[in-house]
Amino acid sequence: MSEKVLMCGNEAVAEAAIQAGLDAFFGYPITPQNEIPEYMSRRMPEEGRVFVQSESEIAAINMVYGAAATGARAMTSSSSPGISLKQEGISYLAGSQLPAVIVNMMRGGPGLGNIEPSQSDYFQATRGGGHGDYYHIALAGNSVQEMADLMYDAFDLADKYRGPVMVIGDGILAQMIEPVDVFAKKRPPIQTDKSWALGNLKDRSPNIVNSLFLGDNVLENHNLRLQAKYQIIRDTEVRFEATDTEDADLIVVAYGIASRIASSAIRKARKKGLKVGLFRPITLWPFPAKPIAALAGQGRKFLAVELSYGQMVEDVRLAVNGASPVDFYGRAGGSVPTVEAVLEKIEENLK
Amino acid sequence: MTNSFQEKITIAGFGGQGIMLLGKLLAQTAMKNNLNVTYMPAYGAEVRGGTANCMVCLGTDPIANPMVINPDTLIVLNKASFSKFLPKLKSGGKIIVNTSKIDNAIDRDDIEVIAAPIDDIAIALDSPKSANMVALGIFLQSHSFLSPQMACDCLCDVLAKRYHSMLQVNADAILKGAQSIQ
Amino acid sequence: MSTLVYEKPESLYDRKTHYCPGCGHGVAHRLIAETIDELDIRHKTIGIAPVGCSVLAYNYLNIDMVEVAHGRAPAVATGMKRVKPDHIIFAYQGDGDLASIGCAEIMHAAHRGEDITVIFVNNAIYGMTGGQMAPTTMVGQIASTCPNGRDPLKEGYPMQMAEILSIMPGATYIERCAITDPANIRKTKKAIKHAFQRQLDGENGFNMVEILSPCPTYWRMSPVDAKKHITEQMTKTFPLGKLKG
């Protein structure tokens, strides 16, 4: 393992992507993720790989689509308004079953919103986001180190399941500088069958990369294959971290930066003798519904904390399915919940 | 250093005063000396229009929450930052005030004030741009967890190579700042 | 003894097409397929099918192909060419695709000088969706969304994409052709071949062959009249010839 260095989340994500075997990066400026394309513009040519600053987020995701169609590891990054623009391409990637990685460093919305940290794109990230019946894996770290680590997983999962994978951070994780070893999780890319890729047409019939399916039941059958794939992902790729949940009277559910604020509040609550635990989803989709369901009941309460006005809490409620009360605390529009406010909410729930 | 501790610091001034470099050097020094650390710069529109600030958290335990709302220590290099952040300083906290630029009266008696003519010290060193390093020297001298020399040793890690001719000047400023409050 | 004088190119499937009688797409497909065979580049050519009538181009061209979102073909081509610089990458686009929804993508692919070829089939109408007005629809031409004929004061003049793109330094070869008669079809093929050859030779720059192509169905003309319409009317707005390179 190499030594830790100080890097901001954006740069760590970029370098980890390069180490994970990224062949081509396409991006467009938007705050707070600008350090990713800036870093890539410097590093990708050094590695003899592709960097293009596109004319728009729409073009960027379609460049990703083109590169991915040839079997290359391709990626783009943006922040909330830009991710909205990419949804067309993400839907096509899902439909055409092309592996790709998209990073969303979320900022305040709706509309142009602001450039402050936010977690208000949860619905978009976990419900497909574009048109059609699809999902994509959504990975959320809560430190610069974990954001970097997840890039290796993101590319491997994209290849393994032939589809887009989103890595989700926010303005804080993007801009925050922490000690990080971007090589910590470095490993050779998983080897998958890429016989579907375009180019080098020899001794085979032509490959078609396509999301158009005409004819009776043809599209339905395609969708059923996609749904079967999504079920495998739900069954096998759920990731989370549960801390002090076993004896907890209240479990705080939070991901990304909100989980760090929550863990500060939980530490203070524990000092006051309150039995509080933290459940941190790492895969936002597939959501860790079963592990949460297993913790529900037994008189236990849940509190979702988000930088939104209540998005992930819906998944918590679906998982708990009435077995426990689920409360919510969140701030958004660029505002960040304070430790004190979360603590207050914890105490209110345990009165 | 035996006791566990955590220190949350807000550093503020205007653009061009080297606020970000000050924060980054502090973070690098903490990391190199085995402390946990996070550094969060203000970004985007916030850094336009002249103001610059950053938040640094360091301590013996992992930093859960990198956001600093009520700092333990506030380093302010200009008037606007002084007015903006003084009310947020934690009771019992420390404020390092650049009296070369800030002549405001301090209306709180629950805090420790460390006043120094930071710009003037830098000017006396013939290096007015090193005021940020003077401030860092003062900060490190007023706390016991990292020495000013440790920061000097980390300068080459954070200064871009093209500024490496300035390593000695910056180190001198750090040490001068430290001496100024001894 | 018989001599074979005419056969389907290998790069074209022997299939019935879904195109209307008198449509130009079939001819354009064939010219591309013949070119690929003649240059012996089938193994390293990737085609991009747009949204529009030619969305199913991959059913006819016997090569690796990708179908993409409306207007985005030049961006997809950029992604492909950058990671496969030794391949011949061509985007096949209609006028709604290229000149309307994909205006940003085509302009910037040309602007960056991407080493790709765009085959721009201009029939001055949206065919797939049922004959709506396109940016290239002629002044006075009736379409389902300009039932009284295109009024330039309300709907603007037809967009001359070849002329617009040809002023960009990144575009190195731009030619407008028409598939109206054997002579012009031969010229069109020569242009396509020249464009592909440029990629093959590693010549830098964006190249585009615009093909004026009949749409008898939505021009509400016979195939013969539609071709005459191109020669007599369309070429006044869209003059044939090499604009660059």
Side-chain angles (χ1 to χ4, degrees):
Chain A
M1 205 197 243
S2 60
E3 209 184 333
K4 287 196 173 190
V5 294
L6 285 180
M7 279 178 116
C8 72
N10 283 334
E11 291 184 345
V13 156
E15 184 59 40
I18 292 167
Q19 296 303 327
L22 176 67
D23 293 305
F25 178 91
F26 307 96
Y28 185 83
I30 182 171
T31 308
Q33 63 84 54
N34 292 315
E35 290 78 7
I36 299 178
E38 285 170 358
Y39 191 90
M40 292 295 193
S41 72
R42 201 165 64 237
R43 283 282 290 122
M44 291 296 272
E46 272 176 21
E47 298 285 330
R49 306 188 208 170
V50 173
F51 167 85
V52 178
Q53 178 171 330
S54 62
E55 62 271 30
S56 70
E57 284 91 347
I58 299 171
I61 194 73
N62 280 284
M63 290 174 187
V64 165
Y65 185 90
T70 69
R73 278 196 158 179
M75 165 189 172
T76 186
S77 66
S78 193
S79 179
S80 309
I83 295 293
S84 292
L85 284 169
K86 289 185 195 295
Q87 291 301 333
E88 174 193 69
I90 296 171
S91 172
Y92 274 71
L93 287 164
S96 299
Q97 302 199 76
L98 289 179
V101 173
I102 301 115
V103 174
N104 181 7
M105 295 299 190
M106 292 183 282
R107 57 184 255 182
L112 196 52
N114 63 16
I115 58 168
E116 303 298 326
S118 175
Q119 296 183 325
S120 299
D121 303 348
Y122 179 92
F123 285 149
Q124 187 192 51
T126 58
R127 269 52 179 180
H131 62 283
D133 273 303
Y134 74 92
Y135 295 92
H136 56 66
I137 293 173
L139 303 168
N142 79 345
S143 64
V144 171
Q145 182 67 56
E146 192 180 27
M147 291 297 287
D149 294 347
L150 287 173
M151 294 309 291
Y152 297 96
D153 297 329
F155 283 102
D156 278 356
L157 288 166
D159 275 353
K160 184 174 173 187
Y161 294 107
R162 278 187 65 185
V165 170
M166 192 175 278
V167 176
I168 295 179
D170 62 82
I172 297 175
L173 286 165
Q175 295 292 324
M176 180 170 61
I177 291 173
E178 282 188 301
V180 59
D181 174 8
V182 294
F183 302 96
K185 291 284 163 71
K186 184 168 178 174
R187 55 181 183 260
I190 57 157
Q191 293 305 307
T192 55
D193 170 30
K194 287 204 173 178
S195 59
W196 48 264
L198 305 181
N200 305 316
L201 172 57
K202 257 178 224 142
D203 308 320
R204 61 169 170 83
S205 51
N207 284 336
I208 307 296
V209 170
N210 185 17
S211 65
L212 176 72
F213 297 92
L214 303 175
D216 290 345
N217 303 330
V218 179
L219 180 57
E220 182 175 26
N221 288 334
H222 173 65
N223 266 293
L224 290 172
R225 282 191 294 276
L226 292 181
Q227 292 300 319
K229 176 166 83 176
Y230 299 146
Q231 193 54 48
I232 293 170
I233 296 172
R234 282 191 195 96
D235 292 341
T236 54
E237 301 297 349
V238 166
R239 294 178 200 193
F240 62 94
E241 185 183 74
T243 312
D244 297 332
T245 51
E246 285 311 308
D247 71 333
D249 296 324
L250 174 74
I251 294 175
V252 178
V253 187
Y255 70 94
I257 199 66
S259 70
R260 289 178 68 151
I261 295 162
S263 77
S264 284
I266 290 166
R267 197 180 298 172
K268 290 189 175 180
R270 282 265 168 189
K271 276 187 191 155
K272 291 185 173 190
L274 299 174
K275 289 182 176 169
V276 188
L278 176 67
F279 188 98
R280 180 171 74 89
I282 296 170
T283 49
L284 304 185
W285 193 89
F287 189 74
K290 280 182 188 164
I292 287 181
L295 290 165
Q298 310 145 45
R300 206 172 253 158
K301 292 178 171 179
F302 285 80
L303 169 65
V305 175
E306 300 175 57
L307 274 67
S308 82
Y309 291 110
Q311 299 196 13
M312 181 193 65
V313 66
E314 293 192 5
D315 279 338
V316 179
R317 290 201 175 106
L318 285 169
V320 164
N321 199 18
S324 286
V326 179
D327 200 359
F328 170 76
Y329 180 72
R331 290 183 71 186
S335 298
V336 178
T338 62
V339 174
E340 290 69 29
V342 176
L343 180 61
E344 202 174 300
K345 197 76 180 171
I346 289 170
E347 289 177 315
E348 186 187 306
N349 269 277
L350 292 177
K351 242 175 222 165
Chain B
M1 207 185 316
T2 48
N3 298 338
S4 86
F5 77 96
Q6 189 180 85
E7 176 85 7
K8 295 198 158 212
I9 306 133
T10 296
I11 308 164
F14 54 72
Q17 283 187 305
I19 299 298
M20 300 302 168
L21 184 66
L22 199 179
K24 193 153 188 211
L25 179 56
L26 176 56
Q28 179 73 17
T29 309
M31 181 184 73
K32 281 276 171 157
N33 291 281
N34 303 315
L35 292 177
N36 288 287
V37 64
T38 63
Y39 163 89
M40 178 74 199
Y43 61 91
E46 233 186 292
V47 300
R48 289 178 214 122
T51 68
N53 68 79
C54 64
M55 314 165 190
V56 178
C57 300
L58 47 89
T60 44
D61 298 323
I63 313 295
N65 177 17
M67 302 302 285
V68 178
I69 294 160
N70 302 113
D72 300 303
T73 299
L74 176 60
I75 304 173
V76 279
L77 298 191
N78 72 340
K79 265 192 190 189
S81 309
F82 173 88
S83 309
K84 183 178 175 187
F85 289 105
L86 177 60
K88 297 184 176 175
L89 179 62
K90 205 181 259 182
S91 185
K94 290 179 183 169
I95 181 169
I96 295 171
V97 186
N98 177 13
T99 54
S100 307
K101 285 223 162 56
I102 305 162
D103 55 6
N104 308 42
I106 293 175
D107 55 1
R108 288 179 63 172
D109 54 12
D110 61 335
I111 54 172
E112 183 187 336
V113 178
I114 302 162
I118 291 171
D119 283 0
D120 294 316
I121 294 170
I123 290 165
L125 284 168
D126 219 15
S127 177
K129 284 196 166 176
S130 302
N132 57 343
M133 295 295 126
V134 173
L136 178 61
I138 294 172
F139 172 81
L140 294 173
Q141 185 65 34
S142 61
H143 294 76
S144 53
F145 36 72
L146 295 164
S147 72
Q149 186 56 47
M150 287 173 175
C152 296
D153 295 342
C154 289
L155 270 168
C156 59
D157 299 328
V158 297
L159 271 187
K161 276 223 170 67
R162 62 182 183 277
Y163 296 126
H164 275 196
S165 60
M166 307 291 286
L167 286 173
Q168 193 55 50
V169 174
N170 282 285
D172 289 348
I174 292 170
L175 298 174
K176 200 77 185 172
Q179 285 163 19
S180 74
I181 60 157
Q182 265 172 354
Chain C
M1 200 176 122
S2 60
T3 314
L4 189 63
V5 292
Y6 189 81
E7 62 178 337
K8 286 252 177 206
E10 188 196 2
S11 299
L12 196 68
Y13 290 113
D14 191 4
R15 261 182 205 155
K16 268 189 197 166
T17 84
H18 74 293
Y19 296 118
C20 305
C23 170
H25 279 307
V27 177
H29 289 5
R30 184 182 171 100
L31 297 180
I32 291 168
E34 284 178 1
T35 303
I36 291 169
D37 284 5
E38 288 166 22
L39 294 174
D40 192 23
I41 53 172
R42 183 172 171 265
H43 61 288
K44 57 173 179 178
T45 299
I46 304 175
I48 301 169
V51 169
C53 288
S54 49
V55 68
L56 293 169
Y58 53 80
N59 279 348
Y60 309 119
L61 290 167
N62 182 11
I63 56 170
D64 277 2
M65 285 200 78
V66 60
E67 173 269 325
V68 304
H70 202 17
R72 316 300 177 218
V76 174
T78 298
M80 283 184 165
K81 186 72 181 188
R82 294 289 183 119
V83 296
K84 288 243 176 258
D86 61 333
H87 275 55
I88 310 302
I89 309 291
F90 74 91
Y92 189 102
Q93 297 188 265
D95 43 303
D97 194 82
L98 180 143
S100 192
I101 196 167
C103 221
E105 285 77 10
I106 193 71
M107 295 287 276
H108 284 273
H111 172 64
R112 286 188 304 268
E114 296 294 340
D115 304 337
I116 58 169
T117 299
V118 173
I119 308 294
F120 171 33
V121 179
N122 178 3
N123 59 13
I125 199 102
Y126 281 84
M128 179 74 143
T129 44
Q132 293 83 8
M133 182 184 66
T136 43
T137 295
M138 309 274 286
V139 172
Q141 185 183 337
I142 288 169
S144 67
T145 49
C146 55
N148 299 315
R150 181 175 196 154
D151 175 356
L153 294 180
K154 282 194 284 188
E155 286 117 13
Y157 288 90
M159 270 175 96
Q160 295 159 305
M161 292 306 294
E163 283 80 355
I164 292 168
L165 293 170
S166 67
I167 65 166
M168 292 196 174
T172 46
Y173 170 59
I174 303 230
E175 182 157 0
R176 184 183 284 126
C177 309
I179 38 178
T180 44
D181 53 78
N184 274 301
I185 289 170
R186 273 198 297 276
K187 271 190 192 167
T188 306
K189 170 145 172 221
K190 207 176 141 202
I192 294 171
K193 201 165 180 177
H194 180 63
F196 283 13
Q197 186 69 52
R198 288 181 63 88
Q199 280 199 63
L200 199 53
D201 295 345
E203 300 255 9
N204 286 328
F206 170 90
N207 50 77
M208 182 174 90
V209 179
E210 176 175 342
I211 303 172
L212 302 183
S213 175
C215 179
T217 303
Y218 291 110
W219 293 357
R220 310 199 185 279
M221 292 177 189
S222 73
V224 173
D225 286 348
K227 286 186 175 171
K228 207 183 287 174
H229 175 74
I230 292 175
T231 311
E232 291 173 3
Q233 297 302 324
M234 249 182 118
T235 50
K236 287 182 191 162
T237 302
F238 301 110
L240 303 183
K242 197 188 284 186
L243 286 124
K244 193 150 186 195

